Amino acid sequence: MTPLWIAIALLLLPALWLMIAPMRGARTLRDQLDHFEANDTADEQNVAIFKRRLASLEAAYERGDMDEERFKEDRLELERSLLEDTATRTKRPLKTATAGRLAVPLVMVAVVGASTFWYQQNGAEGDLTLYAIQQEVQNDPDGSLAMYLERMEAEAMRQPNNPNVWSSLFPLYRETGQADKAADALERLIAIEGRIPPLLAQLAQLRFFMAGRELTPEVQSLVDETLAQDPRQPTVLGLLGIHAFDNGDYETAVDRWRRAVANIEDPDTASSLREGIRVAQERLGIAPETAAVETAQSQGVRVTVSLDEALMDNVSDDASVFITARDMEGELPPLAVIRAQVSELPMTVVLDDTAAMSPQAQISQVRETRLVVRVSQSGQATPQPGDLFGDLESVSVGTISEDDAANVVIDRVFE
């Protein structure tokens, strides 16, 4: 941490220099003020102005421009003004050029102390320590996962309230097969960060596998709490798909996994879920290429998606493709979403209620839909500048037919 404190000291030096700078010109400024006061002629100027105004007033009285009473009042006002201008000019002696110098080092010490204290309370010293440990282990030829875990456990004792410590320990415990410690680390992280859906979902998944892939009351409670906050949480949807598959409910497994794929960003995980969907469809006795049609609800849209040849060089084969159906007014969440990859194009998919993201927004609830297909190199669900897209307005929703498909060509770039 020595380089950090050296950097902080270098940042403080300009502030300390600004505090000392006025002292360097104190003697010169004091001499200038002393010279000014010694040669101040303000009183003489005030008296000269009084005499000129009084002479003008007397001349007006002699010409008869004013009566005696008015003359006396104006003269009294002039005398009062002169008295005020001269009586308030009581000069205080100037202080020496070295006056107050003892306060400067005290203020400097206070600035340094306050800055250090603030950084220790609100700075990222702990996170820098974690980064230094990670780099040290990576650069050490003898470094190992066990060594890294030991160092992180020591930091957990030193920084029990740092969420980055527990977010690092959780995957380490999970990878080394220490499920109980992984769950404890995740619960500590939840206690610090709050009960947010991604963390609750990971805890539910961990507890689910610890219980032998069973939906225990504890796991079910975590699942319910997560879905109440985020009905599209992919980790929980994937968990529910596994449970349904293990119990032979392949249609439910396909539904849960398809909804998870629509919201997941990791391409490897999405590929695994798609493989699970294929196996579940085979267990249903339906050929995978036609399973979407056979298992679909009565209402939906069959869509053929292709990529314009002019844009093929703009994206890689593993870029994500989001095929979405929306209501015409744009007031509801997406009615159906399927996620694929550019390498699968051209492709034909079915958007129906099994691809819905929420029970409150399904494609069977509308008569017409707007189809939007977007290619995301980053894999993010929200549109980003540079994404490719294509859309088709006013597509009728009805009974799905193999002979009738809406064609959407990805031919534009999102600005």
Side-chain angles (χ1 to χ4, degrees):
M1 298 304 294
T2 301
L4 170 65
W5 292 111
I6 293 176
I8 292 176
L10 292 176
L11 291 174
L12 283 173
L13 285 178
L16 300 179
W17 182 85
L18 289 175
M19 296 178 64
I20 297 175
M23 298 176 59
R24 300 172 60 185
R27 185 172 300 279
T28 301
L29 179 60
R30 201 265 183 196
D31 292 341
Q32 291 175 347
L33 289 174
D34 186 56
H35 179 269
F36 173 79
E37 291 188 357
N39 296 275
D40 187 11
T41 60
D43 289 343
E44 290 81 353
Q45 292 176 0
N46 287 332
V47 172
I49 292 172
F50 168 78
K51 290 180 177 180
R52 286 197 301 270
R53 295 180 63 185
L54 180 59
S56 176
L57 186 63
E58 291 175 343
Y61 175 69
E62 292 176 355
R63 291 194 305 268
D65 294 341
M66 62 177 64
D67 56 22
E68 184 178 359
E69 183 178 357
R70 174 68 182 277
F71 171 75
K72 291 180 178 180
E73 290 177 358
D74 290 351
R75 179 172 179 172
L76 181 61
E77 182 65 27
L78 282 176
E79 293 172 346
R80 184 182 293 112
S81 176
L82 176 63
L83 183 62
E84 290 176 354
D85 290 339
T86 55
T88 58
R89 295 180 56 81
T90 303
K91 297 180 181 179
R92 293 182 297 176
L94 293 175
K95 294 183 178 180
T96 63
T98 59
R101 286 198 171 188
L102 292 178
V104 175
L106 295 177
V107 174
M108 293 172 63
V109 171
V111 169
V112 174
S115 301
T116 304
F117 176 78
W118 181 89
Y119 181 78
Q120 289 176 340
Q121 297 297 315
N122 302 285
E125 179 184 3
D127 293 341
L128 291 175
T129 301
L130 300 183
Y131 178 76
I133 292 174
Q134 183 181 14
Q135 295 299 309
E136 180 183 345
V137 173
Q138 290 179 350
N139 297 328
D140 187 350
D142 299 326
S144 63
L145 185 62
M147 175 184 174
Y148 185 33
L149 181 58
E150 181 181 353
R151 296 289 301 276
M152 293 303 299
E153 287 178 334
E155 284 303 313
M157 297 292 293
R158 195 174 73 88
Q159 306 181 56
N161 296 319
N162 187 343
N164 293 322
V165 173
W166 302 107
S167 63
S168 299
L169 275 174
F170 162 63
L172 289 175
Y173 284 135
R174 184 179 56 190
E175 292 171 11
T176 54
Q178 303 179 66
D180 290 333
K181 289 186 176 181
D184 291 340
L186 192 51
E187 288 176 347
R188 291 292 298 268
L189 181 60
I190 291 173
I192 297 172
E193 296 285 0
R195 303 184 70 82
I196 56 179
L199 297 181
L200 292 174
Q202 290 188 71
L203 183 59
Q205 184 185 62
L206 182 61
R207 293 293 188 190
F208 173 73
F209 286 111
M210 289 173 64
R213 296 165 68 129
E214 291 293 332
L215 278 179
T216 63
E218 180 185 7
V219 175
Q220 186 65 59
S221 176
L222 290 168
V223 168
D224 293 341
E225 185 178 356
T226 303
L227 294 179
Q229 298 183 54
D230 183 5
R232 301 177 294 176
Q233 217 296 317
T235 302
V236 165
L237 291 174
L239 177 159
L240 293 176
I242 294 173
H243 182 261
F245 185 91
D246 290 346
N247 288 275
D249 188 357
Y250 301 119
E251 291 186 5
T252 299
V254 169
D255 171 62
R256 298 296 186 269
W257 283 337
R258 289 178 69 180
R259 290 170 59 188
V261 168
N263 295 281
I264 204 164
E265 296 184 0
D266 182 10
D268 294 333
T269 304
S271 178
S272 298
L273 291 176
R274 278 194 291 269
E275 177 62 19
I277 292 172
R278 187 190 65 78
V279 174
Q281 290 171 342
E282 289 180 347
R283 297 288 180 88
L284 287 170
I286 305 168
E289 63 272 13
T290 61
V293 176
E294 298 296 334
T295 62
Q297 300 295 326
S298 58
Q299 300 294 306
V301 175
R302 188 177 181 86
V303 187
T304 298
V305 180
S306 60
L307 177 61
D308 192 309
E309 293 183 359
L311 299 178
M312 286 185 176
D313 295 335
N314 292 27
V315 291
S316 60
D317 288 343
D318 59 352
S320 298
V321 179
F322 295 92
I323 307 168
T324 309
R326 293 184 174 275
D327 64 300
M328 297 299 297
E329 293 76 18
E331 298 176 350
L332 299 174
L335 305 176
V337 179
I338 290 179
R339 181 170 180 169
Q341 291 183 325
V342 170
S343 58
E344 301 176 63
L345 299 178
M347 66 184 302
T348 300
V349 298
V350 172
L351 296 175
D352 55 21
D353 287 351
T354 62
M357 300 175 66
S358 170
Q360 289 73 38
Q362 298 182 335
I363 196 170
S364 61
Q365 299 173 350
V366 300
R367 294 184 178 181
E368 290 185 330
T369 184
R370 175 174 178 254
L371 300 178
V372 180
V373 181
R374 184 173 57 85
V375 177
S376 172
Q377 187 67 48
S378 64
Q380 296 185 18
T382 55
Q384 303 291 323
D387 288 353
L388 309 182
F389 77 99
D391 60 356
L392 189 61
E393 299 284 348
S394 303
V395 178
S396 298
V397 177
T399 302
I400 300 171
S401 171
E402 295 185 17
D403 300 327
D404 186 16
N407 295 311
V408 180
V409 179
I410 305 167
D411 56 1
R412 280 166 287 172
V413 180
F414 183 77
E415 300 295 340

mmCIF file of all heavy atoms in Angstrom, residues 42-43 45-51 53-54 57 72-89:
data_model
loop_
_atom_site.group_PDB
_atom_site.id
_atom_site.type_symbol
_atom_site.label_atom_id
_atom_site.label_comp_id
_atom_site.label_asym_id
_atom_site.label_seq_id
_atom_site.Cartn_x
_atom_site.Cartn_y
_atom_site.Cartn_z
ATOM 1 N N ALA A 42 -6.623 61.240 2.731
ATOM 2 C CA ALA A 42 -8.086 61.256 2.649
ATOM 3 C C ALA A 42 -8.686 62.375 3.499
ATOM 4 O O ALA A 42 -9.641 63.055 3.082
ATOM 5 C CB ALA A 42 -8.655 59.899 3.085
ATOM 6 N N ASP A 43 -8.128 62.615 4.716
ATOM 7 C CA ASP A 43 -8.678 63.670 5.581
ATOM 8 C C ASP A 43 -8.509 65.042 4.936
ATOM 9 O O ASP A 43 -9.436 65.880 4.968
ATOM 10 C CB ASP A 43 -7.974 63.636 6.947
ATOM 11 C CG ASP A 43 -8.393 62.415 7.763
ATOM 12 O OD1 ASP A 43 -9.432 61.801 7.419
ATOM 13 O OD2 ASP A 43 -7.690 62.075 8.733
ATOM 14 N N GLN A 45 -8.327 65.718 1.823
ATOM 15 C CA GLN A 45 -9.246 65.813 0.694
ATOM 16 C C GLN A 45 -10.667 66.091 1.168
ATOM 17 O O GLN A 45 -11.398 66.882 0.562
ATOM 18 C CB GLN A 45 -9.199 64.520 -0.131
ATOM 19 C CG GLN A 45 -7.873 64.300 -0.854
ATOM 20 C CD GLN A 45 -7.830 62.969 -1.565
ATOM 21 O OE1 GLN A 45 -8.797 62.221 -1.514
ATOM 22 N NE2 GLN A 45 -6.715 62.689 -2.233
ATOM 23 N N ASN A 46 -11.071 65.469 2.262
ATOM 24 C CA ASN A 46 -12.413 65.708 2.804
ATOM 25 C C ASN A 46 -12.573 67.170 3.258
ATOM 26 O O ASN A 46 -13.620 67.799 3.039
ATOM 27 C CB ASN A 46 -12.694 64.770 3.975
ATOM 28 C CG ASN A 46 -12.930 63.335 3.522
ATOM 29 O OD1 ASN A 46 -13.391 63.117 2.403
ATOM 30 N ND2 ASN A 46 -12.631 62.374 4.388
ATOM 31 N N VAL A 47 -11.521 67.716 3.910
ATOM 32 C CA VAL A 47 -11.577 69.124 4.367
ATOM 33 C C VAL A 47 -11.647 70.064 3.163
ATOM 34 O O VAL A 47 -12.404 71.054 3.162
ATOM 35 C CB VAL A 47 -10.360 69.451 5.262
ATOM 36 C CG1 VAL A 47 -10.310 70.940 5.557
ATOM 37 C CG2 VAL A 47 -10.425 68.650 6.561
ATOM 38 N N ALA A 48 -10.863 69.768 2.115
ATOM 39 C CA ALA A 48 -10.867 70.627 0.931
ATOM 40 C C ALA A 48 -12.241 70.620 0.265
ATOM 41 O O ALA A 48 -12.748 71.660 -0.182
ATOM 42 C CB ALA A 48 -9.800 70.150 -0.047
ATOM 43 N N ILE A 49 -12.862 69.452 0.210
ATOM 44 C CA ILE A 49 -14.206 69.353 -0.382
ATOM 45 C C ILE A 49 -15.212 70.130 0.458
ATOM 46 O O ILE A 49 -16.088 70.835 -0.071
ATOM 47 C CB ILE A 49 -14.623 67.874 -0.492
ATOM 48 C CG1 ILE A 49 -13.754 67.155 -1.535
ATOM 49 C CG2 ILE A 49 -16.101 67.767 -0.873
ATOM 50 C CD1 ILE A 49 -13.974 65.669 -1.577
ATOM 51 N N PHE A 50 -15.054 70.059 1.815
ATOM 52 C CA PHE A 50 -15.956 70.788 2.714
ATOM 53 C C PHE A 50 -15.838 72.301 2.470
ATOM 54 O O PHE A 50 -16.852 73.006 2.407
ATOM 55 C CB PHE A 50 -15.610 70.436 4.161
ATOM 56 C CG PHE A 50 -16.278 71.327 5.169
ATOM 57 C CD1 PHE A 50 -17.630 71.150 5.505
ATOM 58 C CD2 PHE A 50 -15.573 72.377 5.770
ATOM 59 C CE1 PHE A 50 -18.237 71.991 6.427
ATOM 60 C CE2 PHE A 50 -16.188 73.212 6.693
ATOM 61 C CZ PHE A 50 -17.535 73.016 7.019
ATOM 62 N N LYS A 51 -14.603 72.772 2.328
ATOM 63 C CA LYS A 51 -14.404 74.221 2.144
ATOM 64 C C LYS A 51 -15.020 74.681 0.826
ATOM 65 O O LYS A 51 -15.635 75.762 0.771
ATOM 66 C CB LYS A 51 -12.919 74.554 2.181
ATOM 67 C CG LYS A 51 -12.298 74.395 3.575
ATOM 68 C CD LYS A 51 -10.812 74.744 3.558
ATOM 69 C CE LYS A 51 -10.212 74.648 4.963
ATOM 70 N NZ LYS A 51 -8.758 74.990 4.971
ATOM 71 N N ARG A 53 -17.547 73.339 -0.845
ATOM 72 C CA ARG A 53 -19.008 73.299 -0.751
ATOM 73 C C ARG A 53 -19.534 74.425 0.161
ATOM 74 O O ARG A 53 -20.598 75.004 -0.092
ATOM 75 C CB ARG A 53 -19.464 71.928 -0.241
ATOM 76 C CG ARG A 53 -19.138 70.791 -1.210
ATOM 77 C CD ARG A 53 -19.590 69.461 -0.682
ATOM 78 N NE ARG A 53 -21.040 69.408 -0.532
ATOM 79 C CZ ARG A 53 -21.705 68.385 0.001
ATOM 80 N NH1 ARG A 53 -21.016 67.339 0.455
ATOM 81 N NH2 ARG A 53 -23.012 68.424 0.107
ATOM 82 N N LEU A 54 -18.775 74.722 1.234
ATOM 83 C CA LEU A 54 -19.188 75.808 2.135
ATOM 84 C C LEU A 54 -19.105 77.156 1.420
ATOM 85 O O LEU A 54 -19.996 78.027 1.578
ATOM 86 C CB LEU A 54 -18.308 75.805 3.388
ATOM 87 C CG LEU A 54 -18.627 76.898 4.429
ATOM 88 C CD1 LEU A 54 -20.080 76.781 4.925
ATOM 89 C CD2 LEU A 54 -17.645 76.842 5.606
ATOM 90 N N LEU A 57 -22.006 77.500 -0.779
ATOM 91 C CA LEU A 57 -23.233 77.744 -0.008
ATOM 92 C C LEU A 57 -23.306 79.211 0.438
ATOM 93 O O LEU A 57 -24.373 79.854 0.352
ATOM 94 C CB LEU A 57 -23.249 76.804 1.206
ATOM 95 C CG LEU A 57 -24.514 76.806 2.062
ATOM 96 C CD1 LEU A 57 -25.711 76.314 1.244
ATOM 97 C CD2 LEU A 57 -24.324 75.921 3.301
ATOM 98 N N LYS A 72 -28.462 78.133 7.349
ATOM 99 C CA LYS A 72 -27.950 77.500 8.573
ATOM 100 C C LYS A 72 -28.149 75.979 8.560
ATOM 101 O O LYS A 72 -27.281 75.221 9.008
ATOM 102 C CB LYS A 72 -28.638 78.111 9.786
ATOM 103 C CG LYS A 72 -28.242 79.566 10.035
ATOM 104 C CD LYS A 72 -28.975 80.106 11.258
ATOM 105 C CE LYS A 72 -28.562 81.558 11.550
ATOM 106 N NZ LYS A 72 -29.275 82.103 12.733
ATOM 107 N N GLU A 73 -29.272 75.537 8.040
ATOM 108 C CA GLU A 73 -29.536 74.097 7.980
ATOM 109 C C GLU A 73 -28.543 73.389 7.061
ATOM 110 O O GLU A 73 -27.996 72.337 7.417
ATOM 111 C CB GLU A 73 -30.963 73.843 7.494
ATOM 112 C CG GLU A 73 -32.027 74.238 8.501
ATOM 113 C CD GLU A 73 -33.428 74.027 7.953
ATOM 114 O OE1 GLU A 73 -33.529 73.600 6.767
ATOM 115 O OE2 GLU A 73 -34.408 74.234 8.701
ATOM 116 N N ASP A 74 -28.292 73.979 5.890
ATOM 117 C CA ASP A 74 -27.364 73.352 4.951
ATOM 118 C C ASP A 74 -25.937 73.375 5.475
ATOM 119 O O ASP A 74 -25.173 72.419 5.265
ATOM 120 C CB ASP A 74 -27.421 74.050 3.602
ATOM 121 C CG ASP A 74 -28.732 73.792 2.873
ATOM 122 O OD1 ASP A 74 -29.513 72.934 3.363
ATOM 123 O OD2 ASP A 74 -28.994 74.419 1.824
ATOM 124 N N ARG A 75 -25.572 74.477 6.163
ATOM 125 C CA ARG A 75 -24.216 74.531 6.717
ATOM 126 C C ARG A 75 -24.047 73.491 7.828
ATOM 127 O O ARG A 75 -22.991 72.848 7.926
ATOM 128 C CB ARG A 75 -23.955 75.932 7.269
ATOM 129 C CG ARG A 75 -22.567 76.080 7.885
ATOM 130 C CD ARG A 75 -22.264 77.499 8.241
ATOM 131 N NE ARG A 75 -20.945 77.579 8.850
ATOM 132 C CZ ARG A 75 -20.316 78.714 9.132
ATOM 133 N NH1 ARG A 75 -20.912 79.883 8.840
ATOM 134 N NH2 ARG A 75 -19.114 78.719 9.674
ATOM 135 N N LEU A 76 -25.086 73.337 8.654
ATOM 136 C CA LEU A 76 -25.031 72.329 9.708
ATOM 137 C C LEU A 76 -24.888 70.924 9.116
ATOM 138 O O LEU A 76 -24.134 70.083 9.641
ATOM 139 C CB LEU A 76 -26.279 72.423 10.574
ATOM 140 C CG LEU A 76 -26.362 71.433 11.757
ATOM 141 C CD1 LEU A 76 -25.198 71.660 12.729
ATOM 142 C CD2 LEU A 76 -27.700 71.580 12.484
ATOM 143 N N GLU A 77 -25.555 70.683 8.016
ATOM 144 C CA GLU A 77 -25.469 69.366 7.354
ATOM 145 C C GLU A 77 -24.061 69.134 6.810
ATOM 146 O O GLU A 77 -23.519 68.017 6.905
ATOM 147 C CB GLU A 77 -26.489 69.294 6.215
ATOM 148 C CG GLU A 77 -26.525 67.964 5.496
ATOM 149 C CD GLU A 77 -26.989 66.841 6.421
ATOM 150 O OE1 GLU A 77 -27.736 67.116 7.392
ATOM 151 O OE2 GLU A 77 -26.601 65.679 6.178
ATOM 152 N N LEU A 78 -23.427 70.166 6.246
ATOM 153 C CA LEU A 78 -22.059 70.030 5.759
ATOM 154 C C LEU A 78 -21.085 69.722 6.894
ATOM 155 O O LEU A 78 -20.190 68.876 6.767
ATOM 156 C CB LEU A 78 -21.627 71.303 5.047
ATOM 157 C CG LEU A 78 -22.132 71.511 3.613
ATOM 158 C CD1 LEU A 78 -21.685 72.874 3.093
ATOM 159 C CD2 LEU A 78 -21.619 70.405 2.705
ATOM 160 N N GLU A 79 -21.251 70.430 8.006
ATOM 161 C CA GLU A 79 -20.356 70.210 9.144
ATOM 162 C C GLU A 79 -20.528 68.800 9.720
ATOM 163 O O GLU A 79 -19.558 68.141 10.099
ATOM 164 C CB GLU A 79 -20.628 71.261 10.215
ATOM 165 C CG GLU A 79 -20.239 72.675 9.776
ATOM 166 C CD GLU A 79 -20.701 73.730 10.778
ATOM 167 O OE1 GLU A 79 -21.534 73.374 11.647
ATOM 168 O OE2 GLU A 79 -20.224 74.868 10.697
ATOM 169 N N ARG A 80 -21.788 68.349 9.765
ATOM 170 C CA ARG A 80 -22.048 66.989 10.275
ATOM 171 C C ARG A 80 -21.415 65.938 9.350
ATOM 172 O O ARG A 80 -20.840 64.951 9.819
ATOM 173 C CB ARG A 80 -23.547 66.765 10.380
ATOM 174 C CG ARG A 80 -23.894 65.407 11.008
ATOM 175 C CD ARG A 80 -25.394 65.174 11.072
ATOM 176 N NE ARG A 80 -26.020 66.106 11.991
ATOM 177 C CZ ARG A 80 -26.848 67.079 11.615
ATOM 178 N NH1 ARG A 80 -27.125 67.263 10.330
ATOM 179 N NH2 ARG A 80 -27.390 67.886 12.510
ATOM 180 N N SER A 81 -21.499 66.166 8.028
ATOM 181 C CA SER A 81 -20.912 65.231 7.070
ATOM 182 C C SER A 81 -19.397 65.181 7.206
ATOM 183 O O SER A 81 -18.792 64.102 7.156
ATOM 184 C CB SER A 81 -21.308 65.646 5.652
ATOM 185 O OG SER A 81 -20.678 64.814 4.705
ATOM 186 N N LEU A 82 -18.759 66.342 7.411
ATOM 187 C CA LEU A 82 -17.309 66.363 7.591
ATOM 188 C C LEU A 82 -16.903 65.622 8.855
ATOM 189 O O LEU A 82 -15.911 64.879 8.875
ATOM 190 C CB LEU A 82 -16.821 67.817 7.640
ATOM 191 C CG LEU A 82 -15.319 68.008 7.918
ATOM 192 C CD1 LEU A 82 -14.491 67.393 6.798
ATOM 193 C CD2 LEU A 82 -14.995 69.493 8.096
ATOM 194 N N LEU A 83 -17.684 65.836 9.917
ATOM 195 C CA LEU A 83 -17.387 65.152 11.175
ATOM 196 C C LEU A 83 -17.472 63.638 11.020
ATOM 197 O O LEU A 83 -16.623 62.897 11.528
ATOM 198 C CB LEU A 83 -18.351 65.642 12.258
ATOM 199 C CG LEU A 83 -18.132 65.065 13.661
ATOM 200 C CD1 LEU A 83 -16.748 65.453 14.191
ATOM 201 C CD2 LEU A 83 -19.220 65.563 14.616
ATOM 202 N N GLU A 84 -18.497 63.159 10.304
ATOM 203 C CA GLU A 84 -18.658 61.718 10.104
ATOM 204 C C GLU A 84 -17.512 61.142 9.272
ATOM 205 O O GLU A 84 -17.034 60.035 9.540
ATOM 206 C CB GLU A 84 -19.989 61.428 9.421
ATOM 207 C CG GLU A 84 -21.204 61.695 10.316
ATOM 208 C CD GLU A 84 -22.521 61.487 9.566
ATOM 209 O OE1 GLU A 84 -22.458 61.252 8.334
ATOM 210 O OE2 GLU A 84 -23.584 61.551 10.201
ATOM 211 N N ASP A 85 -17.065 61.908 8.251
ATOM 212 C CA ASP A 85 -16.014 61.397 7.378
ATOM 213 C C ASP A 85 -14.667 61.305 8.076
ATOM 214 O O ASP A 85 -13.829 60.473 7.735
ATOM 215 C CB ASP A 85 -15.872 62.282 6.146
ATOM 216 C CG ASP A 85 -17.064 62.148 5.209
ATOM 217 O OD1 ASP A 85 -17.774 61.119 5.306
ATOM 218 O OD2 ASP A 85 -17.291 63.054 4.387
ATOM 219 N N THR A 86 -14.443 62.164 9.049
ATOM 220 C CA THR A 86 -13.130 62.197 9.714
ATOM 221 C C THR A 86 -13.115 61.449 11.040
ATOM 222 O O THR A 86 -12.097 60.879 11.421
ATOM 223 C CB THR A 86 -12.698 63.655 9.955
ATOM 224 O OG1 THR A 86 -13.722 64.342 10.697
ATOM 225 C CG2 THR A 86 -12.480 64.364 8.631
ATOM 226 N N ALA A 87 -14.274 61.425 11.735
ATOM 227 C CA ALA A 87 -14.301 60.802 13.069
ATOM 228 C C ALA A 87 -14.196 59.287 12.993
ATOM 229 O O ALA A 87 -13.696 58.639 13.913
ATOM 230 C CB ALA A 87 -15.590 61.196 13.803
ATOM 231 N N THR A 88 -14.669 58.648 11.904
ATOM 232 C CA THR A 88 -14.677 57.180 11.811
ATOM 233 C C THR A 88 -13.372 56.617 11.274
ATOM 234 O O THR A 88 -13.232 55.406 11.147
ATOM 235 C CB THR A 88 -15.824 56.724 10.889
ATOM 236 O OG1 THR A 88 -15.649 57.338 9.604
ATOM 237 C CG2 THR A 88 -17.162 57.109 11.456
ATOM 238 N N ARG A 89 -12.449 57.450 10.945
ATOM 239 C CA ARG A 89 -11.196 56.979 10.364
ATOM 240 C C ARG A 89 -10.137 56.748 11.438
ATOM 241 O O ARG A 89 -9.038 57.265 11.385
ATOM 242 C CB ARG A 89 -10.685 57.975 9.337
ATOM 243 C CG ARG A 89 -11.593 58.108 8.122
ATOM 244 C CD ARG A 89 -11.039 59.107 7.116
ATOM 245 N NE ARG A 89 -9.694 58.773 6.699
ATOM 246 C CZ ARG A 89 -9.393 57.869 5.774
ATOM 247 N NH1 ARG A 89 -10.369 57.197 5.184
ATOM 248 N NH2 ARG A 89 -8.140 57.626 5.450
#
